[in-house]
């Protein structure tokens, strides 16, 4: 009787172990062709921005110089200790939870979707949201080029900001009400707009069509419509950590990812990316609340780096201090997109059947839950997760 009971207990324990995805993730061919076609009408704005900043945003250099060794800025003094990527033996058995909050209470927030890159000739695109456990909700429509290139949902899930092909910045409630043109002369293919954690400001770049040298990057206060310029920010697609202390963005030339304070002070690069490293990165997706982890699209030496257009795919999560890959319990499936919630948990999107599923992963690397997306969302990409 005791032997039978022991065998049953061991079988139950084996069923509870969640395998970590330890296989090499096959680097996918770039899906930028659809975006390239969609943003072709904005080419003039790109040329203007390049002239304004003097930066070659997405040209991979031949044999670039090694990335400087990271020198941690003062703002990261309270970051957690450097983590070591778990070995296969350790990562196969998730550690016991160390939080006082039961894992069952952790939920996925409201997920926002826009069109995925394709060859559609549509001029507008409707955004959608979905709260797991509910049904998808239709939101406002925005220009398709903006939905692909720069549309961003505020962290509180209340508003959407986008830049149209005429370099006008727009903001509206997610249901389409309160739509207003905030400012003209805003660059929309490289630097933002990116929401601040309090959903009151936008990181963006201003471009004066009459003065090619007047392009400025900084932060716009939406309440007062005042713009504060910030120097030393050279690259594209900035991310803003939920604690408000960290920016991360690809430098746009050597395939490195820059980490810095929002004022541009204390810059350093994530190790093992760009320069002479095996991998580089020109597209980032999400930054953890403390800035210690980042979800991005990491490219090998044989994968084209593409162009300046935004790409929201992610195939890896890295420790920003070491450059090491963070193991994820995806059951051998390929990571497609990944977004950090304000509570530090990660929402990972993976292929499931003919569509996708969302896997919620806690800060200890344990799988909390998984849910299949509704079929109506299979031809869309995630723009962000709020709440």
């Amino acid at each position: 009787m005791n032997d039978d009971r022991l065998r049953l207990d061991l079988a139950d324990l084996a069923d509870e172990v969640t395998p970590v995805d330890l296989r090499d993730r096959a680097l996918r061919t770039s899906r930028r062709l659809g975006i390239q076609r969609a943003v072709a009408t904005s080419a003039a704005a790109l040329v203007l921005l390049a002239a304004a900043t003097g930066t070659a945003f997405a040209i991979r250099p031949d044999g670039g110089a090694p990335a400087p060794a990271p020198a941690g800025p003062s703002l990261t003094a309270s970051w957690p200790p450097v983590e070591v990527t778990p070995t296969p033996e350790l990562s196969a058995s998730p550690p016991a939870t160390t939080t006082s909050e039961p894992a069952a209470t952790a939920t996925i927030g409201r997920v926002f979707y826009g069109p995925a890159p394709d060859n559609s000739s549509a001029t507008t695109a409707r955004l959608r949201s979905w709260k797991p456990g509910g049904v998808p909700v239709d939101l406002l429509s925005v220009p398709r080029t903006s939905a692909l290139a720069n549309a961003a949902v505020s962290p509180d899930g209340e508003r959407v900001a986008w830049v149209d092909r005429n370099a006008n910045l727009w903001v509206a409630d997610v249901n389409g009400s309160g739509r207003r043109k905030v400012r003209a002369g805003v660059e929309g293919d490289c630097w933002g707009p990116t929401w601040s954690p309090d959903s009151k400001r936008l990181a963006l770049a201003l471009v004066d069509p009459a003065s090619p040298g007047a392009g400025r990057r900084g932060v716009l206060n939406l309440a007062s419509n005042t713009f504060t310029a910030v120097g030393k920010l050279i690259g594209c697609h900035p991310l803003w950590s939920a604690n408000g202390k960290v920016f991360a963005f690809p430098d746009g030339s050597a395939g490195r990812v820059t980490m810095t304070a929002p004022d541009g002070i204390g810059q350093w690069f994530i190790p093992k990316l760009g320069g002479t490293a095996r991998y580089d990165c020109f597209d980032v997706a999400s930054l953890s609340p403390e800035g210690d982890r980042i979800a991005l699209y990491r490219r090998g030496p044989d994968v084209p780096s593409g162009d300046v257009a935004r790409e929201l795919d992610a195939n890896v999560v890295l420790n920003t201090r070491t450059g090491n890959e963070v193991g994820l319990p995806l059951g051998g499936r390929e990571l497609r997109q990944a977004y950090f919630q304000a509570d530090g948990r990660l929402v990972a999107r993976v292929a499931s059947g003919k569509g996708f599923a969302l896997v919620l992963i806690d800060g200890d690397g344990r799988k909390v839950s998984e849910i299949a997306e509704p079929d109506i969302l299979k031809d869309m990409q995630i723009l962000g997760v709020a709440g």
Side-chain angles (χ1 to χ4, degrees), residues 110 112 127 139-143 151-163 168-183 193 195 199 202 222:
R110 192 178 180 192
F112 291 85
L127 307 187
L139 304 177
L140 77 168
S141 292
V142 301
V153 180
S154 60
D156 61 10
E158 297 296 326
R159 293 187 289 179
V160 178
W162 71 95
V163 179
N168 296 313
L169 171 68
W170 295 80
V171 173
D173 295 341
V174 294
N175 63 5
S177 64
R179 184 185 302 239
R180 65 189 179 98
K181 185 172 76 172
V182 178
R183 200 171 185 120
W195 288 92
S199 300
L202 288 169
L222 289 173

Side-chain angles (χ1 to χ4, degrees), residues 169 180-184 186 200 202 204 206 219-228:
L169 171 68
R180 65 189 179 98
K181 185 172 76 172
V182 178
R183 200 171 185 120
V186 177
K200 297 180 180 179
L202 288 169
L204 49 78
L206 300 182
V219 176
L220 178 70
N221 185 310
L222 289 173
S224 63
N225 201 15
T226 56
F227 178 79
T228 303

